[in-house]
Amino acid sequence: MSSPRWLGLILTAALVAAALPAAAQSAKTPTIRQSIDMVAVNAPKISPDGRRVVYEQARTDWDANAFETDLWIADTATGERHLLTAASKSSTDAAWSPDGRWIAFISDRPGVLPKSPADKRQVYVMPASGGEAQQVTKAEKGVNAFEWAPDSRRIAFTAEGPEPKALKDRKETFGDYRVIRADYGMVQLWLQDLPTMDPAGRLAPPAEPRALTKADAFSVLNGFSFSPDGTRIAFAAQRAARPDFLPHQPDPRREGRRRHGQPAGRRGRPEQ
């Protein structure tokens, strides 16, 4: 977390403490450190069977000078809860797979896949019963948002495409600068097949994601959703600074290619 944000929190805590009566301050007013250490929970997501809830819990990392977020899971019947993620960085945006077996989330933890960019948000998947999280994306600019497919075997996500070689060469020659309204990164819609599991319970390395939209056509916004049968994806997009709502509809007669992207699976059908 940046220094101005820390300063703002300290000033806020000091003002609150000053506004309370002296008796209340001596009995109940927390210290500035206690105020910053206060736990906050957010974004509860109930499992498809209604038995469990996964949610975010913020914590203060004094060593890293940052606020981080972990995922916790609780039993709806007993109230028992336990930590689900324990990485050094944040884990957020948890989502249950439709079959309830998996929990996907976004984290900026150090990636383990080859050529993973540093400090970028990627999608991870882990068994809902607990275990090690598996990194499934390595988007160069990081993932913006994701959505489970109805078959629980694929995930669609939005992310900027890789930087063009010409732009990378320019940065190496002249340094990192950006031309306003010329270097705008277009966000694409991608489809990621989840890794398969062998008989021993080990997950194979994930396959490369497939781009469903073209980088030069329009920029996809975070609002997108699978159709119930998993053959189509509807999404919001912006072209020439004008938002559109575009249905993603495959056409098998054109080998699955349409003006607004690619089908959700080969020939417009979920892969079996």
Side-chain angles (χ1 to χ4, degrees):
M1 173 177 291
S2 60
S3 297
R5 187 175 178 187
W6 277 111
L7 181 59
L9 287 170
I10 292 173
L11 290 175
T12 300
L15 289 172
V16 171
L20 294 173
Q25 290 186 41
S26 61
K28 299 180 181 179
T29 303
T31 65
I32 292 176
R33 186 183 181 96
Q34 287 173 334
S35 298
I36 295 175
D37 276 334
M38 285 183 179
V39 172
V41 298
N42 189 39
K45 301 290 179 63
I46 195 164
S47 62
D49 62 9
R51 296 179 179 180
R52 292 168 293 178
V53 174
V54 62
Y55 61 93
E56 299 174 6
Q57 181 169 306
R59 58 180 168 84
T60 306
D61 187 339
W62 289 94
D63 294 333
N65 193 30
F67 286 135
E68 304 293 0
T69 302
D70 299 316
L71 296 179
W72 288 70
I73 191 166
D75 188 288
T76 58
T78 65
E80 294 182 358
R81 67 190 190 104
H82 64 268
L83 185 64
L84 199 62
T85 61
S88 57
K89 293 295 189 75
S90 288
S91 301
T92 61
D93 302 285
W96 294 87
S97 62
D99 62 9
R101 297 178 55 203
W102 305 93
I103 296 174
F105 60 92
I106 293 178
S107 178
D108 59 349
R109 65 183 65 182
V112 297
L113 292 179
K115 299 182 180 180
S116 292
D119 301 320
K120 298 299 182 182
R121 289 159 41 96
Q122 306 295 345
V123 176
Y124 289 76
V125 174
M126 67 185 306
S129 57
E132 185 175 355
Q134 168 107 1
Q135 181 184 353
V136 296
T137 68
K138 52 180 180 180
E140 184 175 298
K141 299 295 187 67
V143 171
N144 296 342
F146 72 91
E147 183 84 15
W148 279 100
D151 61 8
S152 300
R153 295 168 54 188
R154 300 163 297 157
I155 285 177
F157 67 92
T158 53
E160 288 186 34
E163 283 188 346
K165 184 179 184 301
L167 182 56
K168 292 181 178 179
D169 292 342
R170 189 192 74 187
K171 288 183 177 181
E172 291 180 1
T173 304
F174 301 105
D176 190 1
Y177 67 90
R178 183 171 292 273
V179 179
I180 302 300
R181 296 187 179 181
D183 291 343
Y184 176 74
M186 303 290 275
V187 176
Q188 295 176 253
L189 184 65
W190 305 78
L191 190 68
Q192 177 71 61
D193 292 319
L194 293 189
T196 57
M197 183 179 294
D198 64 18
R202 295 183 297 263
L203 290 173
E208 290 295 321
R210 302 194 297 276
L212 301 181
T213 59
K214 296 180 179 180
D216 59 353
F218 43 75
S219 191
V220 179
L221 306 179
N222 285 347
F224 58 95
S225 180
F226 278 91
S227 62
D229 63 1
T231 62
R232 302 179 183 182
I233 300 176
F235 59 91
Q238 182 171 321
R239 182 194 301 113
R242 180 172 59 87
D244 295 319
F245 181 78
L246 305 174
H248 182 106
Q249 195 167 6
D251 186 351
R253 294 171 299 178
R254 296 185 180 181
E255 298 181 356
R257 294 183 178 274
R258 287 183 63 92
R259 181 180 179 184
H260 298 316
Q262 301 289 346
R266 189 174 293 118
R267 301 199 176 191
R269 298 292 177 185
E271 296 184 74
Q272 301 298 324

